[in-house]
Amino acid sequence: MKSVTIGDRQVGPIGLGTWHMGDQPQIRSQEIKALQTGLDAGITVIDTAEMYGEGRSESLVGEAIQPFKREDLYLISKVYPWNASKTQLPISLDYSLKRLGTDYLDLYLLHWSGDVPLEETVLALETAKAAGKIRDWGVSNFDTADMEALWRIPGGDRCVTNEVLYNLGSRGIEYDLKPWMQRQQLPVIAYSPIAQGDSLGDDFLANKLLQDIAAAHHVSIFQLLLAWCIREGQTLAIPQSGSADHVLDNLKAADLVLTEAEWQALAKVYPKPTQKQPLAML
């Protein structure tokens, strides 16, 4: 199985996303089981945010990870842009840590660019890192110009990743953002790598090519989409699922190997962008 390097940490290429999880009390136990099933199967990464359910997702994760050794996990959370100031970020971080039941995060992300000056946010993140409350920090939903602006700030190049929308039907980052990140040796964290269960209008499940390739390898189209997303070994995909069976299916995608002809066929039907596209966000 491929691994992805984030900062100085090696993690598997598939993690556990938690967007929308924790919102429905009637399925809480099912969602906890899904997360714990993934961890039992060897997944180490869980991605959450203070925005997700206004903390309910973090609380769910905190409950799910209780039986596991903290040092075996890689926990990611995110701060709202308006909470990313030197005074508010430490408060938001402490609330996140309390909900998660831990005293540190492996990775803390600025959820998207806002009105707080980046210089101030970088300083607040570096202060949290020096205090041992976060191991590394990064950003989310940053386009190329945003990343270039970050790199011009003292300490901005200590950012270790950028979490963005990326899947077979949303390849816009491949025009300039992904190449820029590769030059800086920054991995991509891909959210919605299976297009939220094919609910974003791409109609993957109806595509004959995807059906044929998936059938040839005895996998689902969703597993095929995940395998595509992590194909280069520089992307951490974080699909969200509240089903234990689906979590295990997702993990198997890391071992899927396609032929060169199959990769080329996919690229023909879902081509790389040939011009700059605005960064897609959900």
Side-chain angles (χ1 to χ4, degrees):
M1 183 184 293
K2 306 179 186 75
S3 63
V4 179
T5 302
I6 303 178
D8 59 2
R9 183 82 176 266
Q10 294 270 324
V11 300
I14 295 176
L16 299 165
T18 63
W19 193 11
H20 304 306
M21 294 180 72
D23 289 343
Q24 302 178 62
Q26 66 272 24
I27 60 170
R28 184 179 185 84
S29 60
Q30 174 188 320
E31 292 178 330
I32 289 175
K33 180 182 178 182
L35 293 175
Q36 292 180 337
T37 297
L39 297 177
D40 282 333
I43 294 176
T44 59
V45 176
I46 302 181
D47 177 277
T48 186
E50 67 174 353
M51 184 192 83
Y52 300 168
E54 296 300 323
R56 288 190 296 273
S57 172
E58 290 177 324
S59 297
L60 180 83
V61 171
E63 185 175 343
I65 65 175
Q66 284 182 5
F68 298 88
K69 292 181 179 179
R70 175 63 184 89
E71 60 269 23
D72 293 338
L73 307 178
Y74 191 92
L75 296 182
I76 306 171
S77 194
K78 310 178 196 73
V79 61
Y80 273 125
W82 49 86
N83 288 338
S85 65
K86 63 182 179 181
T87 55
Q88 189 58 43
L89 185 143
I91 298 171
S92 283
L93 175 55
D94 282 346
Y95 278 130
S96 289
L97 293 175
K98 184 176 181 179
R99 288 188 289 262
L100 288 163
T102 185
D103 57 3
Y104 73 95
L105 289 172
D106 296 280
L107 181 62
Y108 199 35
L109 306 179
L110 172 61
H111 210 149
W112 63 88
S113 183
D115 294 332
V116 176
L118 273 177
E119 293 89 344
E120 184 175 342
T121 299
V122 168
L123 180 59
L125 289 165
E126 283 293 308
T127 300
K129 185 176 178 180
K133 292 187 175 184
I134 62 174
R135 297 287 173 86
D136 279 308
W137 62 268
V139 294
S140 180
N141 297 303
F142 268 42
D143 207 345
T144 312
D146 301 313
M147 296 302 295
E148 291 172 340
L150 178 61
W151 244 242
R152 290 192 292 268
I153 294 169
D157 60 357
R158 294 174 189 155
C159 168
V160 299
T161 190
N162 182 16
E163 182 176 314
V164 292
L165 176 67
Y166 184 47
N167 59 59
L168 185 60
S170 298
R171 299 187 64 175
I173 67 168
E174 292 183 28
Y175 183 75
D176 58 351
L177 177 58
K178 194 161 180 263
W180 186 94
M181 291 178 61
Q182 288 173 331
R183 291 193 295 271
Q184 312 302 327
Q185 297 184 315
L186 293 180
V188 170
I189 299 179
Y191 71 80
S192 299
I194 58 174
Q196 296 196 1
D198 197 21
S199 65
L200 301 182
D202 295 293
D203 291 327
F204 290 129
L205 294 176
N207 183 275
K208 183 65 164 56
L209 174 65
L210 294 179
Q211 292 173 355
D212 290 346
I213 295 177
H217 291 272
H218 307 289
V219 298
S220 70
I221 285 178
F222 295 126
Q223 288 170 304
L224 178 57
L225 293 175
L226 268 181
W228 178 89
C229 197
I230 63 173
R231 68 199 182 283
E232 296 175 338
Q234 299 168 318
T235 299
L236 165 64
I238 49 167
Q240 179 273 331
S241 178
S243 160
D245 289 341
H246 289 167
V247 167
L248 293 178
D249 286 343
N250 288 342
L251 185 57
K252 293 174 186 174
D255 297 319
L256 179 58
V257 178
L258 302 189
T259 67
E260 184 59 32
E262 288 169 333
W263 288 126
Q264 291 178 2
L266 288 172
K268 186 173 182 180
V269 175
Y270 299 96
K272 292 175 64 173
T274 57
Q275 61 185 13
K276 175 66 178 174
Q277 300 177 10
L279 184 68
M281 290 176 57
L282 296 179

